[in-house]
Amino acid sequence: MPTRILPAVGDADAVRSLTTLLSQLPDAEPVAPVTDSTQLVDTLARLAAESVDELPEVVVVHERIGPVPALELIREVALRFPAVGVILVTSDAGPGLFQAAMDYGARGLVALPLSYEELASRVNAVAQWSVGVRRHLGAGGDVFSGAGGTVVTVSGAKGGVGATLAAIQLALAAQASGRSTALLDMDLQTGDVAAYLDIQFRRSVVDLAAINDISPRVLADAVFRHDTGVALLLAPGDGERGEEVTDRAARHIVGALRSRYEVVVVDCGAQLTGASATAVEMADTALLVTTPDVVAVRGAKRTVRMWDRLQIRKAEETTIVVNRHSRGTEIQPALIQKITGTGIAATAIPANFKELQGPIDAGRVHELDSKGAIRQALWALAGELGLLKGTEPTTRRTTRTRAGDRAAALTFRRRRELGR
């Protein structure tokens, strides 16, 4: 059977030389090259969604691929697509880089300028390894073979807008629908997921911060299995230890969770750190929770602009969720959408604190009344986002409704204040 080889090369000259050599290899079947890290991961995800057998046996990653650095990209491919062998092509073939590449999950390294003999030898060895892994997968081994789970981050426009409650309920809804779900508390200094669920824990996300190779067993030891079935990876009890979770550690942790669970919900809190920024950047869907008041909406606008300046996420790739919404508020969702330039969730969370007070005080928010308006709205939001089994994300409207236009007219003065 021919060996399928997918080159991931951003440089045009390197693409030509690499594809020419690959086409000369015996029993090789080079596929159309991809030119950046995003395209590579998307291509592999699409193929894996069909079947693990549709994936190429070998991926060749050039050292100048971007925007994600080559080693970080190799790590993500190794975590999400363990049946694919990755070869790094680099001008630095020294022992230091070789060891680093192996630590990040590469199966081989080829030095530049390219040599036919060396390339053929590496491709052959990695292809044989890949075939062996697929046999293992076919025998029912405990290795994730899918395209990777869906990652949803939930951030707050400011403290106290309800981001943690939303994150918990989204995770509960996904788990209840039959999808394996993890909830990661990335609000590293002030995370309250454990308090909201009234649980005592020993291990936290910090225990994974210094581990480069997060195996399924290591991950299982760190998560807390809640009675509802949701796997919890909690913020540290000592907030100052949150500094140990770097952006690189966050990338590894989110990637490891994504490789083991169908849905990963990340509570990022209201403060931007390197770790939470990494999670937002990696997310399939980034939610920003706000309440319909001047201070919170101004905070949402500030957050959206900051994400854009730091190239974490564009405004149009962010979805605003309006909490504590009522028809009587002057600031309506359509106006918030216009002010922030983001998408807006069709489902707004109603204002009804009486429904929340008892469960929050008892630390039992997983026992919200199933007939209550808040729980129903949050679970409807999970369906809108495609987190429930058998659902797909719905297309959100970007035009304002007539009610939104009326609200905009009534709040002209506040809109000017928010625009400053």
Side-chain angles (χ1 to χ4, degrees):
M1 187 178 78
T3 300
R4 290 161 297 180
I5 308 169
L6 175 59
V9 187
D11 181 83
D13 293 334
V15 168
R16 285 191 292 271
S17 61
L18 181 58
T19 53
T20 299
L21 278 178
L22 291 175
S23 63
Q24 296 173 5
L25 300 181
D27 297 323
E29 185 181 308
V31 298
V34 296
T35 58
D36 59 50
S37 57
T38 302
Q39 190 179 1
L40 172 62
V41 174
D42 288 347
T43 299
L44 294 176
R46 176 176 50 80
L47 294 172
E50 300 177 17
S51 168
V52 67
D53 294 328
E54 296 298 318
L55 289 166
E57 286 77 19
V58 180
V59 169
V60 180
V61 175
H62 193 275
E63 63 180 355
R64 291 199 297 271
I65 194 72
V68 175
L71 289 178
E72 296 291 344
L73 177 60
I74 290 170
R75 164 70 69 182
E76 184 168 359
V77 171
L79 284 170
R80 295 182 61 180
F81 314 101
V84 175
V86 185
I87 296 173
L88 174 63
V89 176
T90 176
S91 56
D92 177 12
L97 181 61
F98 180 84
Q99 183 62 50
M102 298 304 107
D103 289 343
Y104 275 76
R107 303 302 308 178
L109 187 147
V110 176
L112 291 169
L114 293 172
S115 160
Y116 174 85
E117 290 77 14
E118 183 183 13
L119 184 62
S121 174
R122 284 291 87 213
V123 167
N124 183 56
V126 173
Q128 290 181 4
W129 172 88
S130 177
V131 170
V133 169
R134 294 174 197 218
R135 290 200 192 101
H136 178 63
L137 290 174
D142 184 23
V143 180
F144 186 87
S145 58
T150 299
V151 176
V152 177
T153 56
V154 185
S155 305
K158 69 179 188 66
V161 296
T164 298
L165 176 67
I168 292 173
Q169 290 298 321
L170 291 176
L172 291 173
Q175 180 71 36
S177 75
R179 303 187 73 181
S180 60
T181 304
L183 173 59
L184 169 60
D185 193 346
M186 198 62 87
D187 188 358
L188 298 173
Q189 293 185 345
T190 58
D192 282 327
V193 169
Y196 272 51
L197 298 174
D198 192 26
I199 57 177
Q200 302 295 321
F201 62 98
R202 291 186 303 107
R203 298 190 180 276
S204 72
V205 64
V206 172
D207 294 299
L208 300 178
I211 301 175
N212 288 326
D213 187 11
I214 304 175
S215 67
R217 177 170 295 180
V218 169
L219 185 62
D221 287 342
V223 301
F224 181 97
R225 183 68 63 175
H226 192 258
D227 294 342
T228 59
V230 176
L232 305 175
L233 187 52
L234 300 163
D238 301 323
E240 67 272 14
R241 296 200 64 195
E243 296 180 358
E244 299 175 32
V245 184
T246 64
D247 52 350
R248 174 172 290 187
R251 187 175 296 278
H252 294 171
I253 291 165
V254 173
L257 289 170
R258 174 180 248 158
S259 72
R260 300 301 302 172
Y261 297 94
E262 294 176 85
V263 175
V264 180
V265 180
V266 186
D267 179 6
C268 292
Q271 294 185 351
L272 184 68
T273 64
S276 63
T278 298
V280 172
E281 182 185 16
M282 295 178 67
D284 299 288
T285 301
L287 302 181
L288 184 59
V289 181
T290 187
T291 48
D293 58 83
V294 171
V295 175
V297 175
R298 183 178 292 160
K301 182 179 181 180
R302 183 170 57 244
T303 298
V304 168
R305 287 183 170 180
M306 179 168 57
W307 286 358
D308 188 53
R309 287 196 307 272
L310 297 177
Q311 298 183 348
I312 296 170
R313 204 167 193 94
K314 295 179 180 178
E316 59 268 24
E317 297 171 349
T318 302
T319 301
I320 292 284
V321 176
V322 181
N323 190 23
R324 301 171 198 156
H325 170 263
S326 70
R327 293 182 179 179
T329 56
E330 294 183 356
I331 300 177
Q332 291 292 314
L335 177 59
I336 298 173
Q337 179 183 17
K338 182 171 184 178
I339 291 168
T340 59
T342 64
I344 194 91
T347 305
I349 316 305
N352 188 1
F353 185 70
K354 288 184 178 180
E355 183 182 333
L356 295 174
Q357 188 170 6
I360 288 178
D361 290 345
R364 309 285 292 181
V365 297
H366 53 290
E367 295 180 355
L368 281 181
D369 183 2
S370 61
K371 296 181 180 179
I374 293 177
R375 183 183 183 276
Q376 288 188 350
L378 286 167
W379 286 42
L381 176 63
E384 179 184 339
L385 299 173
L387 302 184
L388 307 184
K389 197 167 187 176
T391 63
E392 294 292 334
T394 58
T395 302
R396 300 178 188 87
R397 300 195 309 173
T398 58
T399 57
R400 297 197 299 179
T401 61
R402 291 182 180 178
D405 287 333
R406 288 196 298 270
L410 291 171
T411 58
F412 177 74
R413 180 176 57 83
R414 294 197 177 197
R415 181 173 59 185
R416 290 181 61 189
E417 292 176 357
L418 289 166
R420 286 203 301 264

